[in-house]
């Protein structure tokens, strides 16, 4: 039969037991130490044993015998008549396809075979019941096999299954998958509060490695509610608090944890770090408050200096929200002259010009000359050249200190000192002088401006 050129398909159980019974392959080709040679003389006993074993155990035994027999054939049968394993196409989608193989008796090709082609452990790992990683599969039978793991009526048993699965992912550093598994264990609603605390703490540790420190703290606090004696929850909670610089929360958790676990080294170290950070934070806060007080005293001194010179300050007017105006400054020079920051606003175009340092003896007209220098090209926003220095087309206004949203016209020949001494003028609390500029050449806007506002 071995020399027949035809192809012969024999089921695996018939091959394993049939070869020994009808002696298609002489037992003498087996090594004397091989267990199969001993079993061949015990076929009646094996047959009786098989009838008593469960189906899945029978399949497993057949699988092991199949692999052993395949290795024997490859080792002892001459090369032209070796047997190669072929999966039955009709069963290639079955979970038991590995255990339902058929043998095809034919001559081998001259191509070299892989050393792992008949490795029993490689074949075993390919089966979903024994594989360490089965990957994604849409097979309903496989889904049912996986679902058996979580179909216990005991919620604690289901939660433990999810916990083991989460631990497996955690060891592989698959923290997101581990979080899903631990969450599944919590959804199982276990009755054992210690198990609940373990699931929450394990999930918190995964959040820690993913730098989700707030989620880590929340899970640790929930774990302490479930089991106040859970030491690991205290440790991971204080570490997350330190990572977020939540010093007060860290100190509270450390002190509470040390009352229950006074010998815990990690809690002691975290408590020491938190106290050091608290000390540095207190010093920084004291320095900040001191600087604020100094700034307030300086402002009070400046305000008193301004009011003593007869200049009004309107503290109700908010600071001007213009980026350039943030750099405004006020000071008194060695000659006892006041220096101001001046902001020109052009309501027609929504544009501004900022002069950071203007001495009080300067006139507003001189400031306009700096902005609209005849020797320089006009501003980019003034495409029609409506704002030019050298004629009477520019009018200037300031905000009335007594009437809200009222602008007052004044001659540009006034000095800044004369302007600030007017009874209807006031400076803002940011000590910035704001002047609105409008051009008579822009006839349409100028007329609308006159109609909408009341002027003096």
């Amino acid at each position: 039969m071995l020399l027949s050129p035809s192809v012969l398909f024999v089921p695996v159980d018939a091959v394993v037991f049939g070869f020994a019974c009808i002696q298609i392959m002489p037992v003498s080709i087996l090594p004397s130490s091989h267990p199969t040679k001993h079993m061949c003389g015990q076929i009646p006993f094996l047959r009786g044993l098989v009838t008593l074993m469960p189906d899945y155990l029978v399949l497993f035994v057949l699988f092991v015998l199949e692999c052993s027999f395949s290795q024997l054939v490859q080792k002892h049968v001459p090369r032209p008549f070796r047997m190669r394993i072929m999966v039955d196409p009709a069963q290639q989608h079955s979970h038991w396809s590995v255990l339902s193989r058929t043998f095809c008796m034919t001559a081998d090709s001259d191509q070299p075979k892989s050393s792992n082609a008949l490795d029993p452990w490689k074949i075993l790992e390919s089966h979903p019941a024994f594989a360490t990683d089965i990957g994604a599969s849409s097979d309903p039978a496989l889904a049912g096999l996986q679902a058996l793991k979580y179909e216990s009526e005991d919620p604690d048993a289901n939660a433990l299954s999810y916990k083991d699965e989460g631990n497996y992912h955690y060891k592989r550093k698959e923290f997101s998958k581990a979080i899903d598994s631990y969450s599944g264990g919590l959804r199982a609603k276990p009755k054992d509060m210690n198990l609940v605390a373990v699931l929450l703490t394990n999930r918190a540790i995964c959040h820690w490695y993913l730098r989700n420190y707030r989620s880590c703290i929340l899970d640790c606090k929930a774990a302490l509610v479930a089991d106040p004696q859970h030491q690991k929850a205290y440790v991971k909670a204080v570490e997350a608090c330190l990572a977020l610089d939540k010093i007060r929360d860290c100190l509270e958790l450390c002190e509470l944890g040390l009352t229950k676990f006074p010998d815990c080294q990690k809690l002691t170290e975290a408590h020491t770090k938190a106290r050091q950070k608290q000390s540095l934070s207190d010093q920084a806060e004291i320095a900040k408050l001191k600087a604020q007080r100094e700034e307030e005293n300086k402002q009070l001194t400046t305000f008193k200096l301004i009011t003593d010179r007869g200049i009004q300050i309107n503290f109700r007017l908010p600071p001007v929200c213009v980026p350039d105006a943030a750099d405004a400054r006020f000071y008194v020079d060695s000659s006892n002259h006041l220096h101001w920051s001046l902001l020109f606003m052009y309501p027609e175009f929504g544009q501004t010009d900022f002069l950071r340092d203007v001495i009080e003896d300067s006139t507003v007209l001189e400031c306009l000359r700096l902005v609209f220098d005849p020797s320089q090209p006009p501003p980019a926003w003034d495409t029609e050249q409506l704002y030019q220095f050298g004629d009477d087309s520019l009018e200037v206004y300031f905000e009335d200190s007594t009437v809200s949203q009222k602008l007052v016209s004044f001659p540009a020949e006034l000095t800044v000192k004369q302007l600030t001494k007017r009874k209807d003028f006031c400076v803002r609390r940011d000590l910035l002088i704001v002047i609105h500029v409008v051009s008579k050449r822009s006839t349409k806007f100028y007329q609308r401006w006159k109609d909408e506002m009341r002027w003096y």
Side-chain angles (χ1 to χ4, degrees):
M1 184 179 297
L2 290 174
L3 299 177
S4 173
S6 61
V7 177
L8 176 64
F9 288 89
V10 185
V12 62
D13 51 348
V15 171
V16 174
F17 294 101
F19 268 117
C21 295
I22 64 177
Q23 297 185 1
I24 294 177
M25 181 184 69
V27 181
S28 59
I29 70 172
L30 298 175
S32 58
S33 60
H34 199 281
T36 306
K37 185 172 183 179
H38 175 71
M39 286 191 295
C40 290
Q42 304 293 334
I43 294 302
F45 169 75
L46 286 177
R47 287 177 178 172
L49 182 62
V50 166
T51 58
L52 297 177
M53 289 190 296
D55 291 342
Y56 65 88
L57 188 56
V58 172
L59 291 173
F60 179 73
V61 171
L62 292 178
F63 169 74
V64 175
L65 291 175
E66 172 193 346
C67 297
S68 301
F69 177 75
S70 301
Q71 290 180 338
L72 287 173
V73 170
Q74 189 171 17
K75 182 176 181 181
H76 297 284
V77 176
R79 180 177 179 82
F81 305 105
R82 287 183 185 174
M83 303 174 68
R84 58 186 175 87
I85 295 179
M86 296 183 62
V87 179
D88 187 351
Q91 299 178 353
Q92 62 181 351
H93 296 295
S94 171
H95 294 311
W96 300 105
S97 61
V98 177
L99 302 182
S100 302
R101 298 184 185 276
T102 57
F103 287 92
C104 178
M105 186 78 68
T106 183
D108 255 357
S109 64
D110 294 334
Q111 297 180 357
K113 302 294 182 181
S114 173
S115 59
N116 296 329
L118 296 177
D119 187 351
W121 299 112
K122 296 293 182 181
I123 299 174
L124 186 63
E125 289 180 358
S126 66
H127 192 277
F130 311 105
T132 57
D133 187 8
I134 59 177
S137 176
S138 59
D139 195 319
L142 178 58
L145 184 64
Q146 290 178 299
L148 290 175
K149 183 176 181 180
Y150 307 108
E151 288 186 353
S152 173
E153 295 181 357
D154 184 4
D156 289 350
N158 289 336
L160 282 172
S161 297
Y162 279 109
K163 172 180 169 291
D164 294 339
E165 184 180 82
N167 293 344
Y168 170 78
H169 290 304
Y170 173 79
K171 291 178 181 178
R172 295 166 63 94
K173 297 184 179 181
E174 299 171 345
F175 301 118
S176 296
K177 293 182 179 179
I179 289 174
D180 293 339
S181 298
Y182 295 135
S183 300
L186 293 171
R187 286 193 296 269
K189 298 181 180 180
K191 299 179 181 179
D192 185 357
M193 289 295 100
N194 182 54
L195 178 57
V196 173
V198 170
L199 289 170
L200 286 167
T201 305
N202 289 356
R203 190 172 70 176
I205 294 173
C206 294
H207 281 305
W208 161 266
Y209 282 108
L210 294 176
R211 297 186 179 182
N212 300 330
Y213 298 123
R214 286 182 174 80
S215 298
C216 176
I217 295 173
L218 292 176
D219 278 349
C220 288
K221 289 183 177 180
L224 292 175
V225 172
D227 183 7
Q229 302 298 325
H230 200 65
Q231 179 178 343
K232 190 182 293 185
Y234 282 106
V235 173
K236 194 52 63 177
V238 298
E239 290 178 355
C241 288
L242 283 175
L244 293 177
D245 286 334
K246 292 188 173 184
I247 308 302
R248 293 183 180 178
D249 293 344
C250 181
L251 288 174
E252 291 178 1
L253 288 169
C254 285
E255 292 171 359
L256 183 60
L258 287 173
T259 57
K260 299 179 180 181
F261 310 101
D263 298 331
C264 182
Q265 183 178 358
K266 291 185 177 180
L267 286 178
T268 304
E269 293 176 355
H271 188 257
T272 303
K273 290 181 181 179
R275 289 182 64 87
Q276 292 175 352
K277 284 192 172 185
Q278 182 67 39
S279 177
L280 294 175
S281 177
D282 291 342
Q283 293 176 6
E285 187 67 22
I286 292 173
K288 182 179 179 181
L289 292 175
K290 183 178 179 180
Q292 288 179 351
R293 292 194 191 98
E294 291 178 353
E295 183 65 23
E296 290 175 358
N297 293 333
K298 183 179 179 181
Q299 283 187 349
L300 291 175
T301 303
T302 302
F303 292 156
K304 186 176 185 304
L305 174 65
I306 293 174
T307 54
D308 288 345
R309 297 199 179 193
I311 302 173
Q312 301 183 71
I313 303 175
N314 190 343
F315 293 98
R316 293 176 298 177
L317 291 177
V320 178
C321 297
V322 177
D324 293 337
D327 196 26
R329 60 179 299 186
F330 171 86
Y331 67 96
V332 182
D333 61 18
S334 58
S335 301
N336 202 26
H337 289 93
L338 303 183
H339 290 250
W340 301 85
S341 292
L342 194 148
L343 181 69
F344 286 119
M345 303 186 72
Y346 311 102
E348 181 178 1
F349 298 98
Q351 299 291 330
T352 60
D353 280 314
F354 179 71
L355 300 179
R356 185 170 181 266
D357 192 343
V358 178
I359 192 170
E360 62 179 352
D361 292 336
S362 301
T363 64
V364 176
L365 194 63
E366 291 173 345
C367 295
L368 288 173
R369 183 192 297 273
L370 292 175
V371 175
F372 300 102
D373 189 351
S375 62
Q376 299 295 328
W381 45 266
D382 187 15
T383 56
E384 299 181 6
Q385 299 184 7
L386 301 176
Y387 289 74
Q388 293 183 1
F389 183 82
D391 53 19
D392 297 333
S393 61
L394 298 180
E395 291 187 354
V396 289
Y397 305 85
F398 65 84
E399 296 180 357
D400 195 317
S401 61
T402 58
V403 182
S404 177
Q405 295 183 350
K406 180 180 178 181
L407 299 181
V408 180
S409 176
F410 69 94
E413 291 78 14
L414 289 181
T415 64
V416 174
K417 182 177 182 179
Q418 292 172 338
L419 175 64
T420 56
K421 291 292 185 70
R422 290 185 55 151
K423 294 183 178 180
D424 53 356
F425 179 85
C426 67
V427 295
R428 297 169 179 265
R429 60 185 177 187
D430 54 2
L431 305 182
L432 179 67
I433 297 177
V434 179
I435 297 177
H436 299 262
V437 182
V438 179
S439 176
K440 296 179 182 178
R441 293 185 178 184
S442 182
T443 55
K444 293 183 179 180
F445 177 81
Y446 182 75
Q447 187 61 41
R448 187 170 67 253
W449 173 269
K450 284 288 190 179
D451 293 340
E452 293 178 356
M453 306 297 291
R454 292 180 297 169
W455 312 107
Y456 278 81

